[in-house]
Amino acid sequence: MAAITATAPAVRTRITSLFGCKYPILLPGMSWISSPTLVAAVSNAGGVGILATGPLTADETRKAIRTIRSKTDQPFGIGATLLMPGSKENVEVAIAEQVPIVNISLGKGNWIADRVHEYNGKILATVTNSKHAQSAIDSGADALMLTGHEAAAHGGDVTSLVLTPSIARRYPDVPIVAAGGYADGRGLAAAIALGADAVAMGSRFAITRESPLAQQMKEIVSNPNSTESDTLYGKNFDGIPARVLKNEEATRLMKNPASLPVVVYRALVAARKMRIPLYKVIPGLLTQWEKMYIIAQFGAATESLMKATVDGNYKDGVQFIGQSQGLIEDIPTVHELVQRVMHEAMDATSRCSATFLEADGLPASHSAM
Ligand SMILES: Cc1cc2nc3c(=O)[nH]c(=O)nc-3n(C[C@H](O)[C@H](O)[C@H](O)COP(=O)(O)O)c2cc1C
C-alpha cells in the first residue's frame, strides 16, 4: 500500500464525543499487552488505549496509570474483569486516580459507576449479548463494548455482524464500541454502518511495534500463511468460551476439560506467580465453588498464556488471537496503523456511497456492458 502522507481528519461519533478522542478506535485491555507504552501510543495516535490490569497488583496499577500520564495527556482507560481476584482493588486505584474511562466486564458495576460519575469519568461495559447489555445499562454504563464471536479471548457465540446491529437497534441511545474481527478500515466503516460508534482492535494492536507481545508471536500471526481459520474456540482452555491461536498445545488443551486436581494445582501455581495471596484464593475455593472453579481455570490458563505472550514459546504456550489474524500481514507502528485504518475507512465509505449512488441511476457495471 502507498505511504500515507496526509493526516486523517478528526471524526465525530458518540464515542469520540463521550471519550474526547480524535478517532473512533480503541485498544482493549489485553493482559501483558495493553501496557502503559502501548496505551499511551494509541491515545497519542488519536484513539483510546485501555490498560490491562488483570496481571497487576493495586500498586502496579497505580504506577502504570502514572506512567501513562507521563507519556500522554490524551484520554485513556483501565480494564477490570470483575470476576477476578484483585480487580476491585485495581478499580479503587483507578477511581482514586480519576482515570477518565473504566472498562468493566464479567460482573456488576453499580458501585463503580456511581463513583466514576462523581468525577465525570465514563463507564464502558463489555458484553456479549442483549441480556448482559441490559444489565450493564441498568448498572450505569455510559457505553457498551460488544465482543463478537470472531474476537480473541472471550467473545460470545454471536458474530459481530449480528451482535452490533441487534444491540444498536435495541438500545438506540447507548454509544457502542464494536469488537471482534476488526483489524482494518473496511472493518471500521462496516462497524459504523452496522450502528456502532467505534471499534476496538485487540489482535491488530497486539501486532504493532509498540506492543510488548513476544516478537516470535508477532511474526507467526503476521505471516501471510496464517489465515482466519487458524484459531480454536472452546470452553476447555480456561472455563469460559475463548478463542486462541491454533497450535498443538492449544489443540491438546481444548480437547477435554482439565481434571479438578490439575485445575486447582495450576491455579495455585498461577496465583503465586501473579503474587495473588493464597488467603484470597483458598477460602473461595472452599465456599463459592462454582465461581472459584471458573477463576481457578482462568488461573490455570495463565501459565500457558504467559509462555506464548511473554516468552514467545509457540510450542508449549497458548496465544489468545482472533479470526482477524487472517487480516494481519505486517508489524506497523501504532501511529501508522491508526492513520491507515482511518484512510481505509474513508476509502471504503466513498466506495459504498459511489456504489449506492450508481444504483440510483445507471450502475457503472451496466453502462460498461
Ligand atoms: C493477546 C490478547 C490478550 C487478551 N487478553 C485479554 C484480557 O486479559 N482480558 C480481556 O477482557 N480481553 C482480552 N483480550 C480480548 C480483547 O480485549 C478483545 O476483546 C479482542 O481482542 C477483540 O477482538 P479482536 O482480537 O478480533 O480485535 C485479549 C486479546 C488478545 C489478542
Side-chain angles (χ1 to χ4, degrees):
M1 172 171 183
I4 291 165
T5 46
T7 302
V11 167
R12 172 124 19 119
T13 72
R14 293 183 298 179
I15 286 291
T16 61
S17 301
L18 186 70
F19 294 161
C21 54
K22 188 171 174 190
Y23 300 132
I25 300 175
L26 275 72
L27 163 76
M30 298 183 278
S31 295
W32 307 289
I33 293 180
S34 302
S35 61
T37 300
L38 186 57
V39 168
V42 173
S43 292
N44 281 332
V48 173
I50 295 178
L51 174 76
T53 63
L56 305 184
T57 62
D59 281 345
E60 287 167 341
T61 297
R62 186 176 302 103
K63 199 166 155 224
I65 291 167
R66 291 180 183 176
T67 306
I68 294 169
R69 284 210 159 109
S70 72
K71 291 174 184 283
T72 184
D73 57 1
Q74 297 301 306
F76 69 96
I78 72 133
T81 307
L82 299 178
L83 185 69
M84 297 306 290
S87 61
K88 299 199 174 59
E89 288 84 344
N90 286 332
V91 170
E92 286 291 354
V93 169
I95 291 172
E97 296 286 321
Q98 304 207 341
V99 170
I101 301 151
V102 178
N103 175 207
I104 55 174
S105 59
L106 295 182
K108 284 216 182 294
N110 309 51
W111 65 276
I112 304 173
D114 291 345
R115 290 177 57 202
V116 167
H117 289 152
E118 273 173 26
Y119 62 83
N120 201 27
K122 307 295 174 211
I123 297 285
L124 173 65
T126 298
V127 299
T128 56
N129 58 43
S130 301
K131 189 173 149 218
H132 293 163
Q134 182 65 60
S135 159
I137 293 164
D138 294 343
S139 300
D142 301 289
L144 298 174
M145 175 132 77
L146 310 178
T147 314
H149 188 61
E150 302 89 331
H154 304 108
D157 49 12
V158 182
T159 61
S160 292
L161 189 63
V162 170
L163 185 63
T164 301
S166 166
I167 304 267
R169 197 181 52 182
R170 240 174 246 270
Y171 307 104
D173 299 329
V174 182
I176 287 173
V177 178
Y182 298 103
D184 60 22
R186 290 169 299 180
L188 171 57
I192 301 285
L194 292 171
D197 303 276
V199 292
M201 305 192 301
S203 300
R204 181 61 271 196
F205 275 125
I207 316 296
T208 55
R209 297 235 201 112
E210 292 91 334
S211 160
L213 177 65
Q215 184 65 20
Q216 294 92 320
M217 300 313 301
K218 289 186 192 175
E219 281 164 16
I220 288 166
V221 173
S222 61
N223 186 320
N225 293 328
S226 293
T227 75
E228 66 287 347
S229 302
D230 296 325
T231 67
L232 295 172
Y233 180 80
K235 206 176 165 191
N236 291 335
F237 173 57
D238 65 8
I240 296 183
R243 187 175 300 284
V244 301
L245 184 66
K246 191 195 279 177
N247 64 356
E248 267 182 40
E249 181 63 359
T251 307
R252 185 181 75 77
L253 290 173
M254 283 284 195
K255 249 185 205 138
N256 300 304
S259 72
L260 197 57
V262 169
V263 168
V264 172
Y265 172 73
R266 289 183 64 204
L268 294 178
V269 170
R272 224 181 30 233
K273 238 187 175 172
M274 293 173 75
R275 286 157 295 143
I276 299 170
L278 292 187
Y279 73 81
K280 287 197 177 172
V281 181
I282 290 171
L285 278 171
L286 300 175
T287 55
Q288 289 178 276
W289 175 243
E290 257 181 41
K291 188 173 161 200
M292 285 313 285
Y293 185 58
I294 294 179
I295 296 172
Q297 283 178 291
F298 253 66
T302 298
E303 222 191 329
S304 306
L305 289 170
M306 285 182 79
K307 272 186 196 158
T309 304
V310 179
D311 305 335
N313 183 343
Y314 175 73
K315 188 172 160 289
D316 305 317
V318 175
Q319 178 64 52
F320 279 147
I321 207 74
Q323 292 178 329
S324 65
Q325 75 156 338
L327 303 171
I328 298 171
E329 294 197 344
D330 62 358
I331 311 176
T333 66
V334 164
H335 175 78
E336 285 163 358
L337 177 63
V338 168
Q339 285 300 317
R340 187 204 298 172
V341 168
M342 290 308 301
H343 280 93
E344 284 172 350
M346 292 189 295
D347 287 350
T349 308
S350 310
R351 217 172 41 245
C352 286
S353 301
T355 303
F356 292 115
L357 280 178
E358 281 163 9
D360 203 24
L362 258 191
S365 54
H366 280 207
S367 52
M369 277 166 69

